[in-house]
Coordinates of all heavy atoms in Angstrom, one line a residue:
K24 N 0.8 -1.2 0.0 CA 0.0 0.0 0.0 C 0.9 1.3 0.0 O 0.5 2.2 -0.6 CB -1.0 0.0 1.2 CG -2.1 -0.9 1.0 CD -3.1 -0.8 2.2 CE -4.3 -1.7 2.0 NZ -5.2 -1.7 3.1
V25 N 2.0 1.2 0.7 CA 2.9 2.4 0.7 C 3.4 2.6 -0.7 O 3.4 3.8 -1.2 CB 4.1 2.2 1.7 CG1 5.1 3.2 1.5 CG2 3.5 2.2 3.1
K26 N 3.8 1.6 -1.4 CA 4.3 1.8 -2.8 C 3.2 2.2 -3.7 O 3.4 3.0 -4.6 CB 4.9 0.4 -3.3 CG 6.2 0.1 -2.7 CD 6.8 -1.2 -3.3 CE 8.1 -1.5 -2.7 NZ 8.7 -2.7 -3.3
Q27 N 2.0 1.8 -3.5 CA 0.9 2.1 -4.4 C 0.5 3.6 -4.2 O 0.2 4.2 -5.2 CB -0.3 1.2 -4.0 CG -1.4 1.4 -5.0 CD -2.6 0.4 -4.6 OE1 -2.7 0.0 -3.5 NE2 -3.4 0.1 -5.6
S28 N 0.7 4.1 -3.0 CA 0.3 5.5 -2.7 C 1.3 6.5 -3.4 O 1.0 7.7 -3.5 CB 0.2 5.8 -1.3 OG 1.4 5.7 -0.7
Q29 N 2.4 6.0 -3.8 CA 3.4 6.9 -4.4 C 3.1 7.2 -5.9 O 3.8 8.0 -6.5 CB 4.8 6.3 -4.2 CG 5.3 6.3 -2.8 CD 6.6 5.5 -2.6 OE1 7.0 4.9 -3.5 NE2 7.1 5.5 -1.4
V30 N 2.2 6.5 -6.4 CA 1.9 6.6 -7.8 C 1.1 7.9 -8.0 O 0.1 8.2 -7.3 CB 1.0 5.4 -8.3 CG1 0.6 5.6 -9.8 CG2 1.8 4.1 -8.2
K31 N 1.5 8.7 -9.0 CA 0.8 10.0 -9.2 C -0.2 9.8 -10.3 O 0.0 9.1 -11.3 CB 1.8 11.1 -9.6 CG 2.8 11.4 -8.5 CD 3.7 12.5 -9.0 CE 4.7 12.8 -7.8 NZ 5.7 13.8 -8.2
K32 N -1.3 10.5 -10.1 CA -2.4 10.5 -11.1 C -2.0 11.4 -12.3 O -1.4 12.4 -12.2 CB -3.7 11.0 -10.6 CG -4.3 10.0 -9.5 CD -5.6 10.6 -9.0 CE -6.2 9.6 -8.0 NZ -7.5 10.1 -7.5
R33 N -2.4 10.9 -13.5 CA -2.2 11.7 -14.7 C -3.2 12.8 -14.8 O -4.4 12.6 -14.4 CB -2.3 10.9 -16.0 CG -1.1 9.9 -16.1 CD -1.2 9.2 -17.4 NE -0.1 8.4 -17.6 CZ 0.1 7.6 -18.7 NH1 -0.8 7.7 -19.7 NH2 1.1 6.9 -18.8
K34 N -2.8 13.9 -15.4 CA -3.8 15.0 -15.6 C -4.6 14.6 -16.8 O -4.2 14.0 -17.7 CB -3.0 16.3 -15.9 CG -2.2 16.8 -14.8 CD -1.5 18.1 -15.1 CE -0.8 18.7 -13.9 NZ 0.0 19.9 -14.3
P35 N -5.9 15.1 -16.8 CA -6.7 14.7 -17.9 C -6.2 15.4 -19.2 O -5.8 16.6 -19.2 CB -8.1 15.3 -17.6 CG -7.8 16.3 -16.5 CD -6.6 15.8 -15.8
V36 N -6.2 14.7 -20.3 CA -5.7 15.1 -21.6 C -6.8 15.9 -22.3 O -7.9 15.4 -22.4 CB -5.2 14.0 -22.4 CG1 -4.7 14.5 -23.8 CG2 -4.1 13.2 -21.7
R37 N -6.5 17.1 -22.8 CA -7.5 17.8 -23.6 C -7.4 17.4 -25.0 O -6.3 17.4 -25.6 CB -7.1 19.3 -23.5 CG -7.5 20.0 -22.2 CD -7.3 21.5 -22.4 NE -8.0 22.2 -21.4 CZ -8.1 23.5 -21.3 NH1 -7.6 24.2 -22.2 NH2 -8.8 24.1 -20.4
T38 N -8.5 17.0 -25.5 CA -8.6 16.6 -26.9 C -9.1 17.8 -27.8 O -9.7 18.7 -27.2 CB -9.5 15.4 -27.1 OG1 -10.8 15.7 -26.7 CG2 -8.9 14.2 -26.3
S39 N -8.9 17.7 -29.1 CA -9.4 18.8 -29.9 C -10.9 18.8 -29.9 O -11.5 19.9 -30.2 CB -8.8 18.6 -31.3 OG -9.2 17.4 -31.9
A40 N -11.5 17.7 -29.6 CA -13.0 17.7 -29.6 C -13.5 18.6 -28.4 O -14.4 19.3 -28.5 CB -13.5 16.3 -29.4
N41 N -12.8 18.5 -27.3 CA -13.1 19.3 -26.1 C -12.8 20.8 -26.4 O -13.5 21.7 -26.0 CB -12.4 18.8 -24.9 CG -12.7 17.5 -24.4 OD1 -13.8 17.0 -24.8 ND2 -11.9 16.9 -23.6
L42 N -11.7 21.0 -27.1 CA -11.2 22.4 -27.3 C -12.1 23.1 -28.3 O -12.3 24.3 -28.3 CB -9.8 22.4 -27.8 CG -8.7 21.9 -26.8 CD1 -7.4 21.8 -27.4 CD2 -8.7 22.9 -25.6
S43 N -12.6 22.3 -29.3 CA -13.5 22.9 -30.4 C -14.7 23.6 -29.8 O -15.3 24.5 -30.4 CB -13.8 21.9 -31.5 OG -14.6 20.9 -30.9
K44 N -15.2 23.1 -28.6 CA -16.3 23.6 -28.0 C -16.0 25.0 -27.3 O -16.8 25.8 -27.1 CB -16.9 22.7 -26.9 CG -17.4 21.4 -27.5 CD -17.8 20.4 -26.5 CE -18.2 19.1 -27.1 NZ -18.5 18.1 -26.1
T45 N -14.7 25.2 -27.0 CA -14.3 26.4 -26.3 C -14.3 27.6 -27.2 O -14.8 28.7 -26.8 CB -12.9 26.2 -25.8 OG1 -12.8 25.0 -25.0 CG2 -12.4 27.3 -24.9
Y46 N -13.7 27.5 -28.4 CA -13.6 28.6 -29.3 C -14.3 28.3 -30.6 O -14.1 27.2 -31.2 CB -12.2 29.0 -29.6 CG -11.4 29.3 -28.4 CD1 -10.4 28.4 -27.9 CD2 -11.6 30.5 -27.7 CE1 -9.7 28.7 -26.7 CE2 -10.9 30.8 -26.6 CZ -10.0 29.9 -26.1 OH -9.3 30.2 -25.0
Q47 N -15.2 29.2 -31.1 CA -15.9 29.0 -32.3 C -15.7 30.2 -33.2 O -15.3 31.2 -32.8 CB -17.4 28.8 -32.0 CG -17.7 27.6 -31.2 CD -19.2 27.4 -30.9 OE1 -20.0 28.3 -31.1 NE2 -19.5 26.3 -30.2
I48 N -16.0 30.0 -34.5 CA -15.8 31.0 -35.5 C -16.6 32.2 -35.1 O -17.8 32.1 -34.8 CB -16.1 30.5 -36.9 CG1 -15.1 29.5 -37.3 CG2 -16.1 31.7 -37.9 CD1 -15.4 28.8 -38.7
G49 N -16.0 33.4 -35.1 CA -16.7 34.6 -34.7 C -16.5 35.1 -33.3 O -16.8 36.2 -32.9
D50 N -15.9 34.2 -32.4 CA -15.7 34.6 -31.1 C -14.6 35.7 -31.0 O -13.6 35.7 -31.7 CB -15.1 33.4 -30.2 CG -16.2 32.4 -29.9 OD1 -17.4 32.7 -30.0 OD2 -15.8 31.3 -29.5
S51 N -14.9 36.7 -30.2 CA -13.9 37.7 -30.0 C -12.9 37.2 -28.9 O -13.4 36.8 -27.8 CB -14.6 39.0 -29.5 OG -13.6 40.0 -29.2
V52 N -11.6 37.2 -29.1 CA -10.7 36.7 -28.2 C -9.6 37.7 -27.9 O -9.3 38.6 -28.8 CB -10.0 35.4 -28.7 CG1 -11.1 34.3 -28.8 CG2 -9.4 35.6 -30.1
M53 N -8.9 37.5 -26.8 CA -7.8 38.4 -26.5 C -6.5 37.5 -26.6 O -6.4 36.4 -26.0 CB -7.8 38.9 -25.0 CG -6.7 39.8 -24.6 SD -6.8 40.4 -22.9 CE -8.2 41.4 -23.1
V54 N -5.6 38.0 -27.4 CA -4.3 37.2 -27.6 C -3.3 37.7 -26.6 O -3.0 38.9 -26.5 CB -3.8 37.5 -29.1 CG1 -2.5 36.8 -29.3 CG2 -4.8 37.1 -30.1
L55 N -2.9 36.7 -25.8 CA -1.9 37.0 -24.7 C -0.5 36.8 -25.2 O -0.3 36.0 -26.0 CB -2.3 36.2 -23.5 CG -3.7 36.3 -23.0 CD1 -4.0 35.3 -21.9 CD2 -3.9 37.7 -22.5
P56 N 0.5 37.4 -24.7 CA 0.6 38.4 -23.6 C 0.4 39.8 -24.1 O 0.3 40.8 -23.4 CB 2.0 38.2 -23.1 CG 2.8 37.8 -24.2 CD 1.9 37.0 -25.1
D57 N 0.2 40.0 -25.5 CA 0.1 41.4 -26.0 C -1.3 42.0 -25.7 O -1.4 43.2 -25.9 CB 0.2 41.3 -27.6 CG 1.6 40.7 -28.0 OD1 2.5 40.7 -27.2 OD2 1.6 40.1 -29.1
K58 N -2.3 41.2 -25.3 CA -3.6 41.7 -25.0 C -4.2 42.4 -26.2 O -4.9 43.4 -26.1 CB -3.6 42.6 -23.8 CG -3.2 41.9 -22.6 CD -3.4 42.8 -21.3 CE -3.0 42.0 -20.1 NZ -3.1 42.8 -18.9
K59 N -4.0 41.8 -27.4 CA -4.6 42.3 -28.7 C -6.0 41.6 -28.8 O -6.1 40.4 -28.5 CB -3.8 42.1 -29.9 CG -2.5 42.9 -29.9 CD -1.7 42.6 -31.1 CE -0.4 43.4 -31.1 NZ 0.4 43.1 -32.3
I60 N -7.0 42.3 -29.3 CA -8.3 41.7 -29.5 C -8.4 41.2 -31.0 O -8.0 42.0 -31.9 CB -9.4 42.7 -29.2 CG1 -9.3 43.2 -27.8 CG2 -10.8 42.1 -29.5 CD1 -9.6 42.1 -26.7
G61 N -8.9 40.0 -31.2 CA -9.1 39.5 -32.5 C -10.3 38.6 -32.6 O -11.0 38.5 -31.6
I62 N -10.6 38.1 -33.8 CA -11.8 37.3 -34.0 C -11.3 35.9 -34.5 O -10.5 35.9 -35.5 CB -12.7 38.0 -35.0 CG1 -13.2 39.3 -34.5 CG2 -13.9 37.1 -35.3 CD1 -14.0 40.1 -35.4

């Protein structure tokens, strides 16, 4: 059990299917670090 508790969990992987829901055509976005606004 001590050895088993040392195993670290993996972070969830972002897939492009999940990301495509985040940004869609026409969204106004801020480009960092310049803080420029674009579409």
Side-chain angles (χ1 to χ4, degrees):
K24 285 184 179 178
V25 169
K26 286 184 180 179
Q27 190 178 24
S28 67
Q29 294 171 351
V30 176
K31 294 181 181 179
K32 292 182 180 179
R33 289 186 178 180
K34 293 181 180 179
V36 178
R37 285 187 162 188
T38 62
S39 60
N41 295 342
L42 293 173
S43 65
K44 296 175 186 173
T45 308
Y46 302 107
Q47 296 178 354
I48 294 176
D50 285 346
S51 177
V52 294
M53 182 180 293
V54 179
L55 303 172
D57 303 335
K58 296 187 178 181
K59 292 181 181 178
I60 302 294
I62 299 173

